[in-house]
Amino acid sequence: MADRFRPGFRITEHTSDTERDAADELAFHLAMRERELMEGGMSPEAARLEAARAFGDAGRVRAELRRVDRALARRRRWALWWGSVRQDLAHGLRGLRRNPLFALIAVLTLALGMGGNVVVFALVESVLLRPPPVAEPDRLASIWTTCRRGNPRCASSWPDFEDYRDRSTQFADVAAYSGAGLTLDTGGGPEVLTAEQVSSNYFTVLGLRPAAGRLFQPEEDTRQNDPALVVLSHALWRSAFGAEPGTIGTTVRVNGIPHVVVGVAPAGFEGLVLGQSVDFWTPLRGLPLLEERGAELLAARDSRWIPGVVGRLAPGATLERARAEMLAISDQLAQEDPEARGPRSVTVDALGQRVGGSSAAMASFLGILQGVVILTLLLACANLANLLLARASARRVEVGVRLALGVGRARLARQMLTESLLIAGIGAVVALALAVVALRLLSGVALPQGIEIGSIDASMNGTVLAFVLVLTLLTGLVFGGMPAFTATRGDVGSVLREARGGDAGGSVRLRSFLIGVQIALGVLLLVGAGLFTGTLRNRLDVDLGFPPGGLALVTVDASLDGLAPGRDAGLADRLEAAIRNVQGVRAVGAGVSVPIAPGGNATFVTVDGYVAAPDEEMRVEFSVVTAGYLRALGLPVVEGRDFRSVDRTTRAVLIDETMAARWWNGRSAVGGTVHFRETPFTVLGVVRRTAWNGLDVGNTPFVYIGTRDDAPLTGRFTLLVRTDRDAAALLPAVREAIRSVEPALAIRDMDTMVNEVGRWLAPQRTAAWLLSGFGLLALALAAMGIYGVISYTISMRRRDLSLRIVLGASGRGIVTHVARGMLVPAAAGLGAGLVSARLLSGTVERFMFGVRPTDPGIYAAVAVMLALVTMAATLLPAARAAALSPAEAIRAD
């Protein structure tokens, strides 16, 4: 009898068969040796000592045996654990195969919720979390010169950059970079590529090593009469030169100017600008070779055109000390040259926070999207928890029998959790597949700043896969934990009573709580959808000042093909004449900038008859335009007249309504004089206000400067082509007309104004689509959950309902009785959702236009919509229960 219980006692005493057997074996051998020695004439004590000496270190042998025994025990425990897990997995798979509809609904519901999270996290990882491929990115900082109007992150001038670099002690070195579209001719003709003009220490500051040849060296900024240099990107080296080592030292033509290839950038580095892949780099000191005003741009402090300045912190320096020092340098510059520096300051950010130009708007937008998909996943988890609760309740007989047979509650709970993790795992695999497809389909969708998703390399890398793994485990535990606990709680008797149709109130209350959670999450998503849809509608209805439909835009750059100044001078006139002959063209004009598109020029003016206040800056934005510009744009003249051909011999301008109202004080501006740097221009007319640099019609005065015979359009400008037809369909014919005038002219961009407007609407449109889709999904899931809870409640309360019907309860009374149970969770969820939406409304305020984040109409519409859905999902099963006849009710019981 004792031997039967010995294993149990051995476990308690932490001893093992291996160790016990080894001890017995050692004792036997020592005893036998002692006997042999005593038979040879030794005393018992001497025989014992000699036997121990001859055998060796018995303690070490016992320790080694204990180590082996523990290893064997670990392997046995691992084998037992893995065997039980395999049993649970096999049991879960059999259960899913027996219920294919449940499995399909569960996996798809979870896959949709997780798929959205994977897509958005991939975007977040590529934009905000992924460090740039440079050495020690945490030691790099972005340096910005602030604007006069208060924008903390604007461009810097070349003298600004030199002072930042030379005066700073907290930065070991500071570099500058500016993007440009330049032509590169490797022998097969010029091709417009994305280039970056950089200070010669750019690659040194970033800590990059060349893939071939060498990179720019800091001392090259001071060298004179050296040949122009170029560094190729690794991608361009492979595609255009076949990755031939002999490429180093060859000569290519950049904008028609010979440049020597000195090296190749490392693989994977394509610049610091998000969504922009740089093809090659040229030194900023060589700007006069490529730009007519290059020398002037390098010398003028008030010409701020360098968008990127990056510094590497010195050893021991911190970002906070560097920021304080840069502010002090800015104050010094303001004292030394107050007119050129103006009321500007400096902003210093960690490069990792703003790498690639990722702005606060981008971070906020991605944060909103991530919050939306997390809410959707929580909603899906709540719905799945309800499904699993119903399934677990249907298995109460099985659970009760297994508990009665002695199966542990922890073992049952683990089996149910394994099944939920299995569903989560399958859902994660489907979610990954959906995410890959979604990223491909969304590659052309634009984020804030016009950055297309396809240009930011969002992929399923290790970080994203780790996120998916964590999400899978959390999701499986979230929606599987509550059903596992509910199914195994209580004693065996209560479990069996509930299985026979007794009190299931705890499960019903939990499911009702989950319904309230679903309704609250649905309110959040639908309110967000309403806000962004209203913003999109208002944006589409906004009056831009001109009709965007039927307007084609073609940007050309005569400086990219090396046209001689004489040929460049009359280029705009020749192009306009050729395009007018294209069938379907109503009007054509040209200008250095166009509405909506980013970029533009600004300067300071004085106006005859107006005295500026002491602290007033008379700053205007302007564009140089041809006589047909306003007619092609469709911008009406409200006073005075448009440009005419006779105006090409005079200095004439048109001003907008904002400028006329601000500086003419109710007087007519027509015939007035505006001075640009002491040069007078006559005002011919006043035009409507329009939107520049985005869709908002701002309050900055705008001036249209007419071209003259002695000051024609040169370099880069945009042709505006107005047609009654589809503007996009007209673009090929316009291209041919341009080629007929100048076959080698670089065409930088061809598009329509409608598409340009669409790019600015991309964040609102994307958010409206996503929130509307997730909002509809929330409605569907909430309706399914409510319907399931009511149906399950009715099935568990058949005895109670049967007695009510037999005792004469009316159908309306049954419906009211059943629906009353859903009133509290629905009202609580609706109220919690509305309050949460109100509290979170400030997070989306910056993306709103013409809609208040607290718009009561949207909140009321969402409340009514969810109330109707809840009512429909409640009344359908309740009506079926009320339709039972007393005889059917008795038979059902």
Side-chain angles (χ1 to χ4, degrees), residues 861-884:
V862 169
V864 171
M865 186 185 305
L866 273 168
L868 292 175
V869 169
T870 302
M871 187 181 303
T874 301
L875 293 180
L876 286 175
R880 280 206 312 273
L884 285 174

mmCIF file with all atom_site columns, all heavy atoms in Angstrom, residues 861-884:
data_model
loop_
_atom_site.group_PDB
_atom_site.id
_atom_site.type_symbol
_atom_site.label_atom_id
_atom_site.label_alt_id
_atom_site.label_comp_id
_atom_site.label_asym_id
_atom_site.label_entity_id
_atom_site.label_seq_id
_atom_site.pdbx_PDB_ins_code
_atom_site.Cartn_x
_atom_site.Cartn_y
_atom_site.Cartn_z
_atom_site.occupancy
_atom_site.B_iso_or_equiv
_atom_site.pdbx_formal_charge
_atom_site.auth_seq_id
_atom_site.auth_comp_id
_atom_site.auth_asym_id
_atom_site.auth_atom_id
_atom_site.pdbx_PDB_model_num
ATOM 1   N N   . ALA A 1 861 ? -27.618 63.047 -35.059 1.00 0.00 ? 861 ALA A N   1
ATOM 2   C CA  . ALA A 1 861 ? -27.825 62.084 -36.132 1.00 0.00 ? 861 ALA A CA  1
ATOM 3   C C   . ALA A 1 861 ? -27.247 60.721 -35.769 1.00 0.00 ? 861 ALA A C   1
ATOM 4   O O   . ALA A 1 861 ? -27.863 59.679 -36.024 1.00 0.00 ? 861 ALA A O   1
ATOM 5   C CB  . ALA A 1 861 ? -27.193 62.600 -37.431 1.00 0.00 ? 861 ALA A CB  1
ATOM 6   N N   . VAL A 1 862 ? -26.054 60.711 -35.172 1.00 0.00 ? 862 VAL A N   1
ATOM 7   C CA  . VAL A 1 862 ? -25.437 59.443 -34.756 1.00 0.00 ? 862 VAL A CA  1
ATOM 8   C C   . VAL A 1 862 ? -26.276 58.767 -33.680 1.00 0.00 ? 862 VAL A C   1
ATOM 9   O O   . VAL A 1 862 ? -26.505 57.550 -33.715 1.00 0.00 ? 862 VAL A O   1
ATOM 10  C CB  . VAL A 1 862 ? -24.002 59.696 -34.259 1.00 0.00 ? 862 VAL A CB  1
ATOM 11  C CG1 . VAL A 1 862 ? -23.437 58.462 -33.569 1.00 0.00 ? 862 VAL A CG1 1
ATOM 12  C CG2 . VAL A 1 862 ? -23.114 60.098 -35.428 1.00 0.00 ? 862 VAL A CG2 1
ATOM 13  N N   . ALA A 1 863 ? -26.768 59.545 -32.712 1.00 0.00 ? 863 ALA A N   1
ATOM 14  C CA  . ALA A 1 863 ? -27.585 58.971 -31.638 1.00 0.00 ? 863 ALA A CA  1
ATOM 15  C C   . ALA A 1 863 ? -28.860 58.348 -32.203 1.00 0.00 ? 863 ALA A C   1
ATOM 16  O O   . ALA A 1 863 ? -29.242 57.232 -31.818 1.00 0.00 ? 863 ALA A O   1
ATOM 17  C CB  . ALA A 1 863 ? -27.922 60.047 -30.610 1.00 0.00 ? 863 ALA A CB  1
ATOM 18  N N   . VAL A 1 864 ? -29.523 59.046 -33.128 1.00 0.00 ? 864 VAL A N   1
ATOM 19  C CA  . VAL A 1 864 ? -30.745 58.512 -33.735 1.00 0.00 ? 864 VAL A CA  1
ATOM 20  C C   . VAL A 1 864 ? -30.438 57.249 -34.532 1.00 0.00 ? 864 VAL A C   1
ATOM 21  O O   . VAL A 1 864 ? -31.169 56.242 -34.457 1.00 0.00 ? 864 VAL A O   1
ATOM 22  C CB  . VAL A 1 864 ? -31.401 59.584 -34.622 1.00 0.00 ? 864 VAL A CB  1
ATOM 23  C CG1 . VAL A 1 864 ? -32.534 58.979 -35.435 1.00 0.00 ? 864 VAL A CG1 1
ATOM 24  C CG2 . VAL A 1 864 ? -31.921 60.734 -33.763 1.00 0.00 ? 864 VAL A CG2 1
ATOM 25  N N   . MET A 1 865 ? -29.348 57.274 -35.295 1.00 0.00 ? 865 MET A N   1
ATOM 26  C CA  . MET A 1 865 ? -28.991 56.117 -36.114 1.00 0.00 ? 865 MET A CA  1
ATOM 27  C C   . MET A 1 865 ? -28.753 54.882 -35.242 1.00 0.00 ? 865 MET A C   1
ATOM 28  O O   . MET A 1 865 ? -29.284 53.794 -35.519 1.00 0.00 ? 865 MET A O   1
ATOM 29  C CB  . MET A 1 865 ? -27.741 56.430 -36.933 1.00 0.00 ? 865 MET A CB  1
ATOM 30  C CG  . MET A 1 865 ? -27.353 55.342 -37.929 1.00 0.00 ? 865 MET A CG  1
ATOM 31  S SD  . MET A 1 865 ? -25.781 55.718 -38.752 1.00 0.00 ? 865 MET A SD  1
ATOM 32  C CE  . MET A 1 865 ? -26.140 57.340 -39.422 1.00 0.00 ? 865 MET A CE  1
ATOM 33  N N   . LEU A 1 866 ? -27.964 55.036 -34.189 1.00 0.00 ? 866 LEU A N   1
ATOM 34  C CA  . LEU A 1 866 ? -27.674 53.884 -33.331 1.00 0.00 ? 866 LEU A CA  1
ATOM 35  C C   . LEU A 1 866 ? -28.915 53.443 -32.559 1.00 0.00 ? 866 LEU A C   1
ATOM 36  O O   . LEU A 1 866 ? -29.106 52.251 -32.307 1.00 0.00 ? 866 LEU A O   1
ATOM 37  C CB  . LEU A 1 866 ? -26.548 54.231 -32.361 1.00 0.00 ? 866 LEU A CB  1
ATOM 38  C CG  . LEU A 1 866 ? -25.139 53.996 -32.923 1.00 0.00 ? 866 LEU A CG  1
ATOM 39  C CD1 . LEU A 1 866 ? -24.093 54.622 -32.033 1.00 0.00 ? 866 LEU A CD1 1
ATOM 40  C CD2 . LEU A 1 866 ? -24.864 52.509 -33.067 1.00 0.00 ? 866 LEU A CD2 1
ATOM 41  N N   . ALA A 1 867 ? -29.762 54.389 -32.179 1.00 0.00 ? 867 ALA A N   1
ATOM 42  C CA  . ALA A 1 867 ? -31.004 54.019 -31.498 1.00 0.00 ? 867 ALA A CA  1
ATOM 43  C C   . ALA A 1 867 ? -31.890 53.177 -32.417 1.00 0.00 ? 867 ALA A C   1
ATOM 44  O O   . ALA A 1 867 ? -32.476 52.175 -31.981 1.00 0.00 ? 867 ALA A O   1
ATOM 45  C CB  . ALA A 1 867 ? -31.738 55.272 -31.045 1.00 0.00 ? 867 ALA A CB  1
ATOM 46  N N   . LEU A 1 868 ? -31.981 53.551 -33.688 1.00 0.00 ? 868 LEU A N   1
ATOM 47  C CA  . LEU A 1 868 ? -32.789 52.780 -34.630 1.00 0.00 ? 868 LEU A CA  1
ATOM 48  C C   . LEU A 1 868 ? -32.206 51.390 -34.850 1.00 0.00 ? 868 LEU A C   1
ATOM 49  O O   . LEU A 1 868 ? -32.943 50.397 -34.915 1.00 0.00 ? 868 LEU A O   1
ATOM 50  C CB  . LEU A 1 868 ? -32.895 53.535 -35.962 1.00 0.00 ? 868 LEU A CB  1
ATOM 51  C CG  . LEU A 1 868 ? -33.700 54.836 -35.935 1.00 0.00 ? 868 LEU A CG  1
ATOM 52  C CD1 . LEU A 1 868 ? -33.624 55.542 -37.275 1.00 0.00 ? 868 LEU A CD1 1
ATOM 53  C CD2 . LEU A 1 868 ? -35.170 54.549 -35.568 1.00 0.00 ? 868 LEU A CD2 1
ATOM 54  N N   . VAL A 1 869 ? -30.884 51.302 -34.981 1.00 0.00 ? 869 VAL A N   1
ATOM 55  C CA  . VAL A 1 869 ? -30.241 49.995 -35.173 1.00 0.00 ? 869 VAL A CA  1
ATOM 56  C C   . VAL A 1 869 ? -30.463 49.123 -33.946 1.00 0.00 ? 869 VAL A C   1
ATOM 57  O O   . VAL A 1 869 ? -30.780 47.931 -34.060 1.00 0.00 ? 869 VAL A O   1
ATOM 58  C CB  . VAL A 1 869 ? -28.741 50.182 -35.463 1.00 0.00 ? 869 VAL A CB  1
ATOM 59  C CG1 . VAL A 1 869 ? -28.010 48.852 -35.391 1.00 0.00 ? 869 VAL A CG1 1
ATOM 60  C CG2 . VAL A 1 869 ? -28.545 50.804 -36.834 1.00 0.00 ? 869 VAL A CG2 1
ATOM 61  N N   . THR A 1 870 ? -30.308 49.693 -32.761 1.00 0.00 ? 870 THR A N   1
ATOM 62  C CA  . THR A 1 870 ? -30.528 48.932 -31.530 1.00 0.00 ? 870 THR A CA  1
ATOM 63  C C   . THR A 1 870 ? -31.969 48.454 -31.437 1.00 0.00 ? 870 THR A C   1
ATOM 64  O O   . THR A 1 870 ? -32.244 47.299 -31.056 1.00 0.00 ? 870 THR A O   1
ATOM 65  C CB  . THR A 1 870 ? -30.182 49.806 -30.311 1.00 0.00 ? 870 THR A CB  1
ATOM 66  O OG1 . THR A 1 870 ? -28.831 50.248 -30.413 1.00 0.00 ? 870 THR A OG1 1
ATOM 67  C CG2 . THR A 1 870 ? -30.372 49.039 -29.019 1.00 0.00 ? 870 THR A CG2 1
ATOM 68  N N   . MET A 1 871 ? -32.889 49.324 -31.806 1.00 0.00 ? 871 MET A N   1
ATOM 69  C CA  . MET A 1 871 ? -34.298 48.955 -31.742 1.00 0.00 ? 871 MET A CA  1
ATOM 70  C C   . MET A 1 871 ? -34.606 47.807 -32.702 1.00 0.00 ? 871 MET A C   1
ATOM 71  O O   . MET A 1 871 ? -35.277 46.837 -32.334 1.00 0.00 ? 871 MET A O   1
ATOM 72  C CB  . MET A 1 871 ? -35.162 50.178 -32.086 1.00 0.00 ? 871 MET A CB  1
ATOM 73  C CG  . MET A 1 871 ? -36.662 49.972 -31.892 1.00 0.00 ? 871 MET A CG  1
ATOM 74  S SD  . MET A 1 871 ? -37.599 51.463 -32.350 1.00 0.00 ? 871 MET A SD  1
ATOM 75  C CE  . MET A 1 871 ? -36.828 52.660 -31.261 1.00 0.00 ? 871 MET A CE  1
ATOM 76  N N   . ALA A 1 872 ? -34.073 47.904 -33.932 1.00 0.00 ? 872 ALA A N   1
ATOM 77  C CA  . ALA A 1 872 ? -34.339 46.847 -34.912 1.00 0.00 ? 872 ALA A CA  1
ATOM 78  C C   . ALA A 1 872 ? -33.735 45.523 -34.461 1.00 0.00 ? 872 ALA A C   1
ATOM 79  O O   . ALA A 1 872 ? -34.378 44.469 -34.554 1.00 0.00 ? 872 ALA A O   1
ATOM 80  C CB  . ALA A 1 872 ? -33.787 47.244 -36.277 1.00 0.00 ? 872 ALA A CB  1
ATOM 81  N N   . ALA A 1 873 ? -32.482 45.562 -33.961 1.00 0.00 ? 873 ALA A N   1
ATOM 82  C CA  . ALA A 1 873 ? -31.823 44.333 -33.535 1.00 0.00 ? 873 ALA A CA  1
ATOM 83  C C   . ALA A 1 873 ? -32.494 43.732 -32.299 1.00 0.00 ? 873 ALA A C   1
ATOM 84  O O   . ALA A 1 873 ? -32.399 42.528 -32.063 1.00 0.00 ? 873 ALA A O   1
ATOM 85  C CB  . ALA A 1 873 ? -30.356 44.613 -33.234 1.00 0.00 ? 873 ALA A CB  1
ATOM 86  N N   . THR A 1 874 ? -33.175 44.539 -31.515 1.00 0.00 ? 874 THR A N   1
ATOM 87  C CA  . THR A 1 874 ? -33.859 44.044 -30.319 1.00 0.00 ? 874 THR A CA  1
ATOM 88  C C   . THR A 1 874 ? -35.237 43.495 -30.658 1.00 0.00 ? 874 THR A C   1
ATOM 89  O O   . THR A 1 874 ? -35.651 42.440 -30.155 1.00 0.00 ? 874 THR A O   1
ATOM 90  C CB  . THR A 1 874 ? -33.983 45.180 -29.283 1.00 0.00 ? 874 THR A CB  1
ATOM 91  O OG1 . THR A 1 874 ? -32.683 45.660 -28.957 1.00 0.00 ? 874 THR A OG1 1
ATOM 92  C CG2 . THR A 1 874 ? -34.683 44.691 -28.029 1.00 0.00 ? 874 THR A CG2 1
ATOM 93  N N   . LEU A 1 875 ? -35.979 44.194 -31.508 1.00 0.00 ? 875 LEU A N   1
ATOM 94  C CA  . LEU A 1 875 ? -37.371 43.821 -31.758 1.00 0.00 ? 875 LEU A CA  1
ATOM 95  C C   . LEU A 1 875 ? -37.508 42.548 -32.591 1.00 0.00 ? 875 LEU A C   1
ATOM 96  O O   . LEU A 1 875 ? -38.486 41.818 -32.437 1.00 0.00 ? 875 LEU A O   1
ATOM 97  C CB  . LEU A 1 875 ? -38.092 44.980 -32.454 1.00 0.00 ? 875 LEU A CB  1
ATOM 98  C CG  . LEU A 1 875 ? -38.273 46.246 -31.608 1.00 0.00 ? 875 LEU A CG  1
ATOM 99  C CD1 . LEU A 1 875 ? -39.000 47.317 -32.406 1.00 0.00 ? 875 LEU A CD1 1
ATOM 100 C CD2 . LEU A 1 875 ? -39.026 45.937 -30.320 1.00 0.00 ? 875 LEU A CD2 1
ATOM 101 N N   . LEU A 1 876 ? -36.560 42.289 -33.472 1.00 0.00 ? 876 LEU A N   1
ATOM 102 C CA  . LEU A 1 876 ? -36.700 41.098 -34.323 1.00 0.00 ? 876 LEU A CA  1
ATOM 103 C C   . LEU A 1 876 ? -36.758 39.802 -33.514 1.00 0.00 ? 876 LEU A C   1
ATOM 104 O O   . LEU A 1 876 ? -37.703 39.022 -33.649 1.00 0.00 ? 876 LEU A O   1
ATOM 105 C CB  . LEU A 1 876 ? -35.569 41.062 -35.355 1.00 0.00 ? 876 LEU A CB  1
ATOM 106 C CG  . LEU A 1 876 ? -35.694 42.073 -36.500 1.00 0.00 ? 876 LEU A CG  1
ATOM 107 C CD1 . LEU A 1 876 ? -34.454 42.028 -37.381 1.00 0.00 ? 876 LEU A CD1 1
ATOM 108 C CD2 . LEU A 1 876 ? -36.941 41.781 -37.327 1.00 0.00 ? 876 LEU A CD2 1
ATOM 109 N N   . PRO A 1 877 ? -35.774 39.501 -32.639 1.00 0.00 ? 877 PRO A N   1
ATOM 110 C CA  . PRO A 1 877 ? -35.892 38.267 -31.850 1.00 0.00 ? 877 PRO A CA  1
ATOM 111 C C   . PRO A 1 877 ? -37.029 38.327 -30.824 1.00 0.00 ? 877 PRO A C   1
ATOM 112 O O   . PRO A 1 877 ? -37.660 37.309 -30.526 1.00 0.00 ? 877 PRO A O   1
ATOM 113 C CB  . PRO A 1 877 ? -34.529 38.151 -31.168 1.00 0.00 ? 877 PRO A CB  1
ATOM 114 C CG  . PRO A 1 877 ? -33.967 39.520 -31.175 1.00 0.00 ? 877 PRO A CG  1
ATOM 115 C CD  . PRO A 1 877 ? -34.494 40.188 -32.393 1.00 0.00 ? 877 PRO A CD  1
ATOM 116 N N   . ALA A 1 878 ? -37.296 39.545 -30.289 1.00 0.00 ? 878 ALA A N   1
ATOM 117 C CA  . ALA A 1 878 ? -38.391 39.663 -29.323 1.00 0.00 ? 878 ALA A CA  1
ATOM 118 C C   . ALA A 1 878 ? -39.729 39.362 -29.985 1.00 0.00 ? 878 ALA A C   1
ATOM 119 O O   . ALA A 1 878 ? -40.618 38.725 -29.384 1.00 0.00 ? 878 ALA A O   1
ATOM 120 C CB  . ALA A 1 878 ? -38.393 41.058 -28.715 1.00 0.00 ? 878 ALA A CB  1
ATOM 121 N N   . ALA A 1 879 ? -39.915 39.813 -31.230 1.00 0.00 ? 879 ALA A N   1
ATOM 122 C CA  . ALA A 1 879 ? -41.163 39.536 -31.936 1.00 0.00 ? 879 ALA A CA  1
ATOM 123 C C   . ALA A 1 879 ? -41.337 38.049 -32.189 1.00 0.00 ? 879 ALA A C   1
ATOM 124 O O   . ALA A 1 879 ? -42.457 37.517 -32.132 1.00 0.00 ? 879 ALA A O   1
ATOM 125 C CB  . ALA A 1 879 ? -41.179 40.307 -33.259 1.00 0.00 ? 879 ALA A CB  1
ATOM 126 N N   . ARG A 1 880 ? -40.248 37.347 -32.479 1.00 0.00 ? 880 ARG A N   1
ATOM 127 C CA  . ARG A 1 880 ? -40.348 35.891 -32.686 1.00 0.00 ? 880 ARG A CA  1
ATOM 128 C C   . ARG A 1 880 ? -40.768 35.195 -31.397 1.00 0.00 ? 880 ARG A C   1
ATOM 129 O O   . ARG A 1 880 ? -41.552 34.260 -31.416 1.00 0.00 ? 880 ARG A O   1
ATOM 130 C CB  . ARG A 1 880 ? -39.002 35.338 -33.164 1.00 0.00 ? 880 ARG A CB  1
ATOM 131 C CG  . ARG A 1 880 ? -38.738 35.550 -34.638 1.00 0.00 ? 880 ARG A CG  1
ATOM 132 C CD  . ARG A 1 880 ? -37.779 34.494 -35.162 1.00 0.00 ? 880 ARG A CD  1
ATOM 133 N NE  . ARG A 1 880 ? -36.616 34.325 -34.321 1.00 0.00 ? 880 ARG A NE  1
ATOM 134 C CZ  . ARG A 1 880 ? -35.497 35.034 -34.413 1.00 0.00 ? 880 ARG A CZ  1
ATOM 135 N NH1 . ARG A 1 880 ? -35.414 35.971 -35.326 1.00 0.00 ? 880 ARG A NH1 1
ATOM 136 N NH2 . ARG A 1 880 ? -34.483 34.814 -33.610 1.00 0.00 ? 880 ARG A NH2 1
ATOM 137 N N   . ALA A 1 881 ? -40.238 35.652 -30.280 1.00 0.00 ? 881 ALA A N   1
ATOM 138 C CA  . ALA A 1 881 ? -40.623 35.050 -29.000 1.00 0.00 ? 881 ALA A CA  1
ATOM 139 C C   . ALA A 1 881 ? -42.087 35.307 -28.698 1.00 0.00 ? 881 ALA A C   1
ATOM 140 O O   . ALA A 1 881 ? -42.802 34.436 -28.196 1.00 0.00 ? 881 ALA A O   1
ATOM 141 C CB  . ALA A 1 881 ? -39.748 35.598 -27.879 1.00 0.00 ? 881 ALA A CB  1
ATOM 142 N N   . ALA A 1 882 ? -42.574 36.520 -29.024 1.00 0.00 ? 882 ALA A N   1
ATOM 143 C CA  . ALA A 1 882 ? -43.969 36.862 -28.747 1.00 0.00 ? 882 ALA A CA  1
ATOM 144 C C   . ALA A 1 882 ? -44.930 36.105 -29.646 1.00 0.00 ? 882 ALA A C   1
ATOM 145 O O   . ALA A 1 882 ? -46.116 35.958 -29.308 1.00 0.00 ? 882 ALA A O   1
ATOM 146 C CB  . ALA A 1 882 ? -44.175 38.365 -28.936 1.00 0.00 ? 882 ALA A CB  1
ATOM 147 N N   . ALA A 1 883 ? -44.434 35.605 -30.794 1.00 0.00 ? 883 ALA A N   1
ATOM 148 C CA  . ALA A 1 883 ? -45.307 34.906 -31.739 1.00 0.00 ? 883 ALA A CA  1
ATOM 149 C C   . ALA A 1 883 ? -45.582 33.462 -31.332 1.00 0.00 ? 883 ALA A C   1
ATOM 150 O O   . ALA A 1 883 ? -46.401 32.795 -31.964 1.00 0.00 ? 883 ALA A O   1
ATOM 151 C CB  . ALA A 1 883 ? -44.688 34.933 -33.140 1.00 0.00 ? 883 ALA A CB  1
ATOM 152 N N   . LEU A 1 884 ? -44.900 32.966 -30.289 1.00 0.00 ? 884 LEU A N   1
ATOM 153 C CA  . LEU A 1 884 ? -45.146 31.583 -29.847 1.00 0.00 ? 884 LEU A CA  1
ATOM 154 C C   . LEU A 1 884 ? -46.559 31.451 -29.293 1.00 0.00 ? 884 LEU A C   1
ATOM 155 O O   . LEU A 1 884 ? -47.020 32.288 -28.519 1.00 0.00 ? 884 LEU A O   1
ATOM 156 C CB  . LEU A 1 884 ? -44.142 31.191 -28.764 1.00 0.00 ? 884 LEU A CB  1
ATOM 157 C CG  . LEU A 1 884 ? -42.695 30.879 -29.191 1.00 0.00 ? 884 LEU A CG  1
ATOM 158 C CD1 . LEU A 1 884 ? -41.841 30.658 -27.960 1.00 0.00 ? 884 LEU A CD1 1
ATOM 159 C CD2 . LEU A 1 884 ? -42.677 29.639 -30.084 1.00 0.00 ? 884 LEU A CD2 1
#
